[in-house]
């Protein structure tokens, strides 16, 4: 049963090509003989059985041998000889399909036929595998065989789809059913391989299409997409795909990318919007498209008729056109004889530039037609119906499981995932999202047509069916994919990513219109996630700017412009709804430089928390990160980035296809130019000759936009108005700046040119002054000037700044010589004066001696000048030496000097220390480096303030104030009394409380004391709770404001000195009055001794009378006399307690106002309001010695102090 080439199953093409091929000798004759013998042994038709196909005795072994020949000869040797011989021998149509047809559904349990059917599929998969040309592996043999094999694959597909005896695709699916029926845990590797073979076979059938470079014939219509879809429907392939897709992740895991490829080749190029149209809408749409085509053809013919030849101008014509510089050009055609403009137009059309071809190899994916998804594929009515049903079922049951599983496989970069799978994944996401939106729109239209529409259910309105691609994981993967494609210049992959991103935005916009509140909230969150990233904004601008007409096709250009249009429109709407929109930027932030040292610090020691990051604690670092990574979004600022010339050029290139654009695309381009010209007021960027000529051509012609009935009239009117306004502004600018703009019309505009053309002035850029670094200081733990110098020198050595140390050594060396010379000269001068005039020398010794001149620090290079301003480690070393910086803190040109106070010996000591520690670095405890021993001055001040706040209540632990942790420590200057004044106040408290405490027992006295202590504790706690310290709550930009800190401490020092001087004067007056009183007391002690007996007698008599009256009268006179006698009349601090008529008052006379402790210019009030507690305490202390002499005196009533303002009493005497 040997099959020969004369067999009727062998096609005419094979018979015609065989003799020529045999003569060429491109295939080894032995290889041909082996393949033909194996094909003949597989089987053939039998005359005894009425021409039915009969298997050979060793058919299964022959099929396996053919598979080995394909693997070991073609694949291993990179040849196509075996595949060519199998195609010529007609193995597929003559044997394999006949074998598969013999395995009927009733013989499912026949093991032999199952094995033979599986062997047939194992041969069909490599024979139908797509050939992807690869220039790196292509040989002469490939170029000989590829055209023939491509036509052979087309015949394979035609035979498989239209085989009459049985359904071949259904038979292939039956091969995989036993393996699919096994549990996933019990499924063997062979079962997984069988399922893969079937899926690859279905993928190959969906992929095979008519090559573009091969002319089509009538038989080619039998392999179109519509025929493939119908075959998949009738042979239950769609059900097979739905079953596997819906169980993906549960029952199947390795087959996800194969199903993805099959879906991609089935759906690419299919318009999802038309798929869900009903017959009326589809018919109307197709009618409009056909009318548009006819209208374009009519316009083309009308333009051709104007210059078409007639019977009167059949003769050829050629004219000479004389140009500038006596140059001549030739133009042919009689239509250029009478019209000069037509002559120039035709001359311009003849100008062509032969652009040199770019070097390098093209990407195989870019040239492969199988990956092109921008070409529209038409479908028949039956195919559209079947595919629509499959898509609806897939969205309802299989979309989320399949795409979730594929996304996870792409994220973990599984071995089965190829680079093309990512492109197919994002394209299918875009396609199915568009299909879902179209299905919803179709459902709404159907409900609107019904007389009594039923409200849709919550499940129908919910977007949960596509939720797997609207989560954060998908957005992260999409952003990474877009960035990688843009970096690698994979334009086809980037096209798929842009389509996916655009459709996600449109789906989110559709979700906002949903009546479901949950969907609206989800849409809000998705927009927040997308628009929150500044990198996304930058990527959109970068994609639009990077368009290259020589590399990108119209499909890429369409996807790019659509993405920009949708993104800007949605971002504008979202920014209007969210006024306080924040975006996260990716700016460079300061990092912790000594994280390891910070971990080793002792938490119990507040001094050890000195920030090793030079002023950035953990909280401060978080604030810096938050401030540098988030900012308020400005939409106008973002849109201004699209007004650059590369972005304009991209839309101009898109608008050049205006004859082929649909109304939606024309509207997209119009909205962009309208935004640039009117909303952003950037008319100038459109003032370029090619843009102006394009606008003129669109409106006035030649080949203008159509204005006939049925054409998009609204689009033409909008463009006409836009062009009119642009020309109007151009004419106005030409009248203002004719000379400049006339030249700039030829070129693109840079920002400086745009500003000059708009304002007529050059833009002035204000240079921001550089920010000085934070000043450093050595930690207090390092004691001694020598060790501090070792820290500063060690830091510079560790950072490799030996050149700066060498420069400082040179400066010190020159300064020592100069200062030593001046000191020697000054010593000689003094010695000469002493010898010449000893008397004058003694007088000059008391005068101020001349100071040594300051020495300026001169920089030799720009690096040294920059280091003096920006290198805070170098500035620390100079400060420790004693150098002084002149000028403002933010002045980079400020100079450094060596002051007059530094002697030559001091400079010499500093130089010796630098030399010592440069080669013998200082060592520190716990293995710390020199950088660990410094901190910023601001950090030191905060640490000192924190210690001071913690030490306020450390003297009395019994109060329990340390048990509560406060949010803010007490900061700022603390108003604490000196110890001397506290002692004086204690005496007064003892004197005023003596009477009350004398009447109490010990328990009552202790209870009162405990109550007072508790009240003081509660008052202090309440005060601490209300503290809002400025130590940590401040603007991060002001943390290094040295000028502000210096002014603040200067004011505090001045106030402190004035207060101390006032207190000192008061104390001196008190001591002087006490001394004078003692002298008077010694003279009167004798007279008082004589009066003591009479005083005691009077005291006994007074107890028998009215006790209250006698106490008031005695106490009042004694108090008045004692205070008047104990205070010096000339003391400016005294307060006269008796006026002219003997009435007690605390109001001083205008001539006796107390001395203020602060200047009136400080804004703290007048002299009376500035009276401090120290002065009052001093007055009370002045009355102390006189009262203490008489220990047996009765307690007196405390005089009530009146409220005084500006020297007047504002309360009445009745208040007493």
């Amino acid at each position: 049963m040997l099959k020969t080439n004369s067999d009727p199953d062998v096609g005419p093409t094979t018979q015609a090509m065989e003799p020529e091929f045999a003569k060429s000798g491109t295939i080894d004759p032995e290889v041909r003989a082996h393949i033909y013998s194996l094909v003949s042994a597989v089987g053939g038709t039998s005359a005894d059985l009425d021409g039915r196909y009969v298997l050979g005795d060793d058919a299964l072994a022959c099929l396996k041998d053919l598979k080995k020949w394909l693997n070991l000869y073609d694949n291993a040797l990179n040849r196509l000889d075996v595949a060519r011989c199998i195609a010529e021998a007609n193995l597929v149509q003559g044997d394999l399909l006949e074998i598969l047809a013999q395995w009927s559904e009733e013989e499912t349990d026949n093991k032999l036929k199952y094995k033979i059917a599986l062997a047939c599929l194992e041969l069909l998969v490599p024979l139908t595998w797509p050939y992807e040309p690869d220039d790196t592996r292509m040989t002469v043999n490939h170029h000989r065989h590829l055209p023939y094999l491509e036509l052979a694959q087309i015949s394979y597909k035609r035979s498989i789809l239209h085989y009459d005896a049985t359904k071949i695709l259904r038979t292939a699916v039956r091969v995989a059913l036993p393996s699919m029926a096994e549990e996933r845990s019990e499924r063997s590797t062979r079962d997984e391989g069988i399922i893969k073979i079937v899926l690859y076979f279905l993928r190959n059938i969906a992929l095979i299409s008519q090559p573009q470079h091969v002319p089509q014939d009538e038989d080619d219509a039998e392999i179109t997409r519509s025929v493939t879809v119908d075959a998949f429907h009738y042979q239950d392939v769609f059900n097979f795909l739905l079953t596997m897709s819906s169980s993906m992740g549960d029952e199947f895991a390795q087959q996800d990318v194969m199903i993805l490829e099959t879906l991609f080749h089935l759906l690419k190029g299919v318009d999802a919007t038309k798929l869900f149209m009903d017959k009326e809408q589809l018919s109307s749409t197709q009618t409009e498209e056909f009318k548009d085509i006819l209208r374009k053809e009519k316009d083309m013919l009308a333009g051709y008729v104007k210059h078409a030849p007639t019977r009167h101008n059949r003769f050829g014509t050629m004219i000479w056109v004389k140009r500038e510089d006596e140059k001549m050009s030739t133009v042919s055609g009689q239509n250029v004889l009478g019209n000069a403009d037509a002559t120039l137009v035709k001359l311009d059309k003849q100008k062509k530039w032969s652009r040199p071809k770019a070097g390098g190899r093209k990407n195989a994916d870019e040239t492969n037609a199988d990956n092109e998804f921008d070409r529209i594929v038409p479908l028949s009515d039956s195919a559209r119906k079947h595919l629509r049903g499959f898509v609806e079922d897939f969205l309802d049951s299989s979309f989320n499981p399949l795409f979730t599983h594929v996304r996870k496989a792409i994220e973990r970069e599984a071995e089965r995932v190829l680079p093309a799978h990512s492109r197919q994944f994002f394209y299918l996401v875009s396609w199915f999202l568009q299909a879902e939106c179209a299905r919803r729109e179709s459902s709404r239209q159907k409900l609107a047509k019904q007389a009594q529409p039923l409200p849709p259910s919550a499940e129908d309105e919910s977007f949960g069916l596509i939720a797997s691609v609207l989560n954060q994981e998908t957005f992260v993967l999409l952003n990474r994919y877009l960035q990688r494609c843009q970096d690698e210049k994979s334009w086809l992959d980037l096209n798929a990513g842009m389509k996916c991103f655009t459709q996600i935005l449109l789906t989110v916009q559709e979700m906002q219109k949903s009546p479901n509140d949950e969907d609206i909230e989800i849409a809000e969150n998705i927009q927040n996630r997308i628009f929150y990233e500044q990198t996304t904004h930058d990527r959109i601008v970068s994609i639009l700017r990077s368009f290259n007409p020589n590399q990108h096709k119209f499909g890429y250009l369409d996807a790019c412009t659509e993405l920009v249009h949708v993104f800007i429109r949605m971002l504008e709407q979202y920014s209007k709804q969210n006024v306080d929109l924040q975006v996260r930027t990716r700016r460079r932030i300061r990092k912790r430089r000594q994280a390891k040292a910070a971990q080793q610090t002792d938490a119990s020691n507040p001094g050890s928390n000195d920030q090793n990051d030079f002023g950035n604690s953990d909280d401060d670092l978080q604030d810096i990160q938050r401030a540098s990574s988030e900012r308020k979004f400005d939409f106008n600022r973002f849109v201004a980035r699209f007004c650059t010339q590369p972005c304009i050029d991209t839309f101009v290139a898109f608008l050049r296809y205006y004859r082929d654009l649909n109304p939606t695309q024309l509207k997209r381009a119009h909205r962009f130019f309208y935004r640039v010209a009117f909303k952003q007021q950037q008319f100038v960027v459109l003032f370029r000759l090619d843009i102006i000529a394009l606008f003129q051509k669109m409106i006035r012609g030649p080949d203008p936009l159509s204005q006939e009935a049925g054409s998009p009239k609204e689009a033409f009117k909008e463009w006409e108005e836009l062009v009119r306004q642009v020309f109007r502004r151009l004419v106005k600018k030409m009248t203002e700046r004719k000379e400049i703009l006339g030249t700039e019309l030829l070129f693109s505009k840079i920002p400086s040119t745009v500003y000059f053309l708009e304002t007529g002035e050059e833009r002035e850029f204000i240079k921001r002054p550089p920010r000085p670094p934070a000043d450093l200081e050595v930690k207090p733990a390092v004691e001694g000037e020598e060790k501090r110098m070792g820290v500063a020198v060690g830091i510079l050595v560790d950072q490799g700044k030996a050149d700066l140390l060498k420069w400082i050594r040179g400066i010190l060396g020159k300064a020592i010589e100069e200062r030593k010379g001046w000191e020697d000269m000054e010593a000689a001068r003094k010695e000469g004066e002493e010898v010449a005039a000893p008397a004058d020398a003694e007088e000059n010794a008391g005068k101020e001696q001349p100071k040594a001149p300051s020495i300026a620090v001169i920089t030799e290079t720009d690096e040294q000048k920059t280091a003096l301003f920006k290198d805070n480690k170098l500035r620390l070393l100079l400060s420790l030496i004693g150098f002084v910086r002149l000028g403002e803190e933010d002045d980079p040109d400020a100079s450094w000097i060596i002051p007059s106070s530094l002697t030559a010996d001091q400079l010499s000591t500093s130089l010796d220390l630098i030399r010592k520690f440069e080669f013998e670095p200082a060592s520190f405890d716990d293995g710390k480096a020199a950088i660990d021993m410094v901190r910023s001055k601001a950090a030191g001040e905060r640490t000192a303030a924190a210690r001071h706040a913690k030490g306020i209540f450390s003297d009395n632990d019994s109060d329990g104030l340390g048990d509560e942790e406060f949010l803010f420590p007490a900061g700022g200057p603390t108003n604490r009394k000196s110890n001397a004044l506290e002692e004086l106040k204690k005496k007064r408290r003892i004197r005023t409380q003596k009477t009350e405490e004398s009447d109490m027992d010990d328990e009552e006295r202790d209870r009162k004391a405990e109550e007072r202590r508790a009240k003081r504790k509660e008052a202090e706690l309440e005060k601490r709770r209300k503290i809002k310290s400025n130590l940590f709550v401040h603007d991060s930009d002001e943390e290094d404001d040295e000028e502000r800190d210096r002014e603040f401490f200067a004011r505090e020092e001045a106030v402190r000195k004035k207060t101390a001087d006032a207190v000192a004067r008061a104390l001196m007056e008190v001591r002087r009055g006490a001394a004078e009183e003692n002298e008077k007391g010694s003279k009167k002690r004798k007279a008082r001794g004589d009066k003591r007996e009479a005083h005691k007698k009077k005291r006994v008599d007074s107890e028998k009378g009215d006790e209250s009256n006698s106490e008031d009268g005695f106490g009042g006179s004694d108090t008045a006399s004692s205070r008047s006698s104990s205070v010096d009349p000339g003391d400016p601090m005294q307060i006269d307690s008796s006026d002219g008529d003997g009435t007690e008052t605390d109001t001083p006379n205008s001539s006796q106002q107390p001395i203020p402790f602060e200047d009136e210019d400080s804004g703290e009030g007048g002299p009376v309001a500035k009276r401090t507690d120290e002065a009052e305490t001093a007055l009370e202390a002045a009355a102390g010695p006189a009262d203490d002499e008489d220990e047996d005196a009765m307690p007196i009533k405390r005089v009530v102090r009146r409220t005084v303002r500006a020297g007047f009493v504002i309360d009445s005497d009745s208040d007493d």
Side-chain angles (χ1 to χ4, degrees), residues 905-1166:
D905 295 338
Q906 294 175 340
L907 295 176
S908 179
T909 302
S910 301
L911 179 60
D912 294 339
L913 291 176
I914 292 176
R915 291 172 177 172
K916 173 184 176 182
F917 292 113
E918 186 175 3
F919 300 100
E920 297 179 2
S923 58
F924 306 97
D925 298 337
D926 300 333
K928 293 184 178 180
I931 194 68
D932 299 329
M933 309 309 296
V934 297
R935 66 182 182 185
S936 67
K937 289 185 177 180
E941 293 171 0
R942 289 196 295 268
T943 303
R947 287 178 176 176
H948 178 70
K950 292 181 179 179
I952 292 178
F953 305 105
S954 60
D955 296 337
N956 188 6
D957 295 336
S958 61
D959 292 341
L961 295 179
D963 297 337
E964 181 177 354
E965 294 183 0
F966 298 97
L967 182 60
F968 299 100
T974 306
N975 189 16
R976 300 183 65 183
K977 312 299 188 297
S978 62
N979 293 334
L981 297 177
E982 287 292 336
E983 294 296 333
L984 295 176
K985 292 184 69 176
K986 287 181 181 179
K987 295 180 179 180
R988 179 185 179 189
R989 288 196 295 268
I990 293 173
R991 183 171 62 252
T992 56
Q993 296 175 2
K994 184 180 294 184
T995 303
E996 298 179 1
E997 295 180 355
S998 60
D999 297 337
M1000 301 178 185
D1001 54 3
D1002 295 338
E1003 295 182 359
E1004 187 69 17
R1005 189 180 298 107
D1006 295 340
R1007 187 179 63 81
K1008 291 290 186 181
E1010 186 65 28
E1011 292 179 357
R1012 290 194 298 269
R1013 188 181 298 107
K1015 291 180 180 180
R1016 287 198 305 271
K1017 175 183 175 181
E1018 184 63 28
E1020 292 294 345
L1021 287 173
E1022 187 66 22
K1023 180 180 178 182
R1024 293 290 303 278
R1025 293 190 188 99
K1026 294 181 179 180
I1027 288 178
K1028 300 294 184 293
S1029 177
N1030 191 43
L1031 294 176
F1032 301 104
V1033 183
H1034 61 282
D1035 190 359
S1036 59
D1037 295 337
E1038 298 179 358
E1039 63 182 22
D1040 296 331
D1041 195 347
E1042 301 290 342
E1043 184 65 25
R1044 181 181 58 82
D1045 294 341
R1046 187 163 48 251
E1047 294 177 359
F1048 172 78
F1049 289 117
R1051 290 196 302 268
E1052 292 295 321
E1053 184 65 23
V1055 173
R1056 192 180 300 108
K1057 288 182 179 180
K1058 291 180 181 180
T1059 304
D1061 293 342
V1063 172
R1065 289 197 302 268
L1067 291 176
M1068 292 299 295
E1069 295 296 338
V1070 168
R1071 294 193 185 99
R1072 192 186 332 166
E1076 293 176 358
E1077 185 65 25
N1078 290 335
E1079 292 178 1
K1080 294 179 181 179
S1082 60
K1083 296 179 181 179
K1084 298 180 179 179
R1085 190 171 292 120
K1086 183 177 180 181
R1088 286 188 179 181
D1090 297 336
K1091 296 180 180 179
R1092 189 177 299 277
E1093 295 296 334
H1095 178 67
K1096 290 182 179 180
K1097 184 177 181 181
K1098 180 179 180 182
R1099 181 178 171 187
V1100 172
D1101 295 338
S1102 63
E1103 292 177 355
K1104 299 179 181 179
D1106 190 356
E1107 182 177 358
S1108 60
N1109 294 334
S1110 62
E1111 286 178 357
D1112 293 342
F1114 180 81
S1117 60
D1118 184 72
T1119 303
S1121 61
S1122 63
R1123 294 199 177 193
S1124 61
S1125 62
S1126 62
V1127 180
D1128 188 9
D1131 190 359
M1133 296 289 294
Q1134 70 176 349
I1135 299 178
D1136 192 1
S1137 59
S1138 59
D1139 53 9
D1141 56 358
T1143 306
E1144 294 180 359
T1145 179
D1146 288 332
T1147 305
N1149 296 330
S1150 60
S1151 62
Q1152 295 176 339
Q1153 295 293 331
I1155 296 176
F1157 296 104
E1158 295 186 13
D1159 295 336
E1160 296 180 5
D1161 297 337
S1162 61
E1164 301 294 336

Side-chain angles (χ1 to χ4, degrees), residues 276 278 388 441-450 453:
F276 287 91
D278 53 17
R388 175 177 178 174
E441 182 65 24
S442 176
S443 300
R444 285 195 292 265
Q445 292 179 359
K446 288 182 179 179
L447 292 176
K449 292 180 179 179
Q450 295 179 2

Side-chain angles (χ1 to χ4, degrees), residues 520-704:
I520 297 176
E521 183 179 358
I522 293 175
E524 189 74 16
N525 294 333
I526 292 175
Q527 290 186 88
N528 190 16
R529 292 175 182 177
I530 294 176
F531 299 140
Y532 177 66
E533 295 292 341
Q534 177 67 29
T535 54
T536 304
H537 304 179
D538 299 338
R539 188 178 299 112
I540 298 299
V541 178
S542 178
I543 289 175
L544 186 63
R545 290 180 177 179
S546 61
F547 172 76
N548 187 351
N550 299 316
Q551 294 180 349
H552 304 141
K553 299 180 180 179
F554 176 77
Y556 177 92
L557 182 60
D558 184 32
C560 174
T561 53
E562 184 180 11
L563 174 60
V564 172
H565 173 71
V566 174
F567 189 85
I568 293 178
R569 186 184 61 187
M570 291 190 62
L571 182 56
E572 181 180 16
Q573 182 180 1
Y574 186 76
S575 61
K576 290 180 180 179
Q577 296 175 357
N578 300 270
V579 181
D580 298 330
L581 176 62
Q582 299 289 325
V583 293
R584 180 170 62 183
T585 60
R586 299 293 184 182
R587 300 178 183 176
R588 183 177 299 176
I589 60 176
R590 290 180 289 176
K591 299 180 179 179
R592 302 189 64 182
R593 304 181 184 179
Q594 300 296 329
K596 182 178 179 181
Q599 296 175 358
Q600 298 176 355
T601 53
D602 187 3
S604 61
N605 183 12
S608 63
N609 292 329
D610 302 324
Q611 286 71 16
N612 294 324
D613 56 341
F614 307 130
N616 295 330
S617 62
D618 293 341
D619 296 338
D620 295 335
L621 182 60
Q622 294 177 1
D623 293 340
I624 291 173
Q625 290 176 345
R626 189 179 303 113
S628 61
S629 61
E630 289 188 0
R631 66 173 177 83
K632 183 177 175 56
F633 177 72
D634 187 2
F635 179 76
N636 292 329
R637 179 182 177 185
F638 169 71
V639 176
R641 302 174 63 184
F642 292 93
C643 298
T644 57
Q645 205 66 53
C647 297
I648 300 296
D649 293 340
T650 302
F651 272 88
V652 169
F654 179 70
L655 192 59
R656 294 188 189 278
Y657 297 93
Y658 68 92
R659 295 287 300 175
D660 301 325
L661 299 181
N662 56 37
T664 303
Q665 294 170 334
L666 285 173
K667 185 177 181 180
R668 182 194 313 163
H670 176 271
R671 291 298 180 267
F672 178 81
F673 288 111
Y674 178 82
R675 184 182 298 275
V676 171
F678 291 94
K679 291 187 176 181
Q680 297 300 124
Q681 295 296 322
Q682 295 291 328
F683 284 93
V684 179
V685 296
L686 301 180
F687 295 164
R688 204 175 64 191
L689 283 182
D690 59 335
I691 301 177
I692 298 299
L694 178 61
F695 287 169
Q696 175 69 14
K697 183 179 179 181
M698 289 178 59
I699 304 303
R700 302 300 179 190
D703 298 331

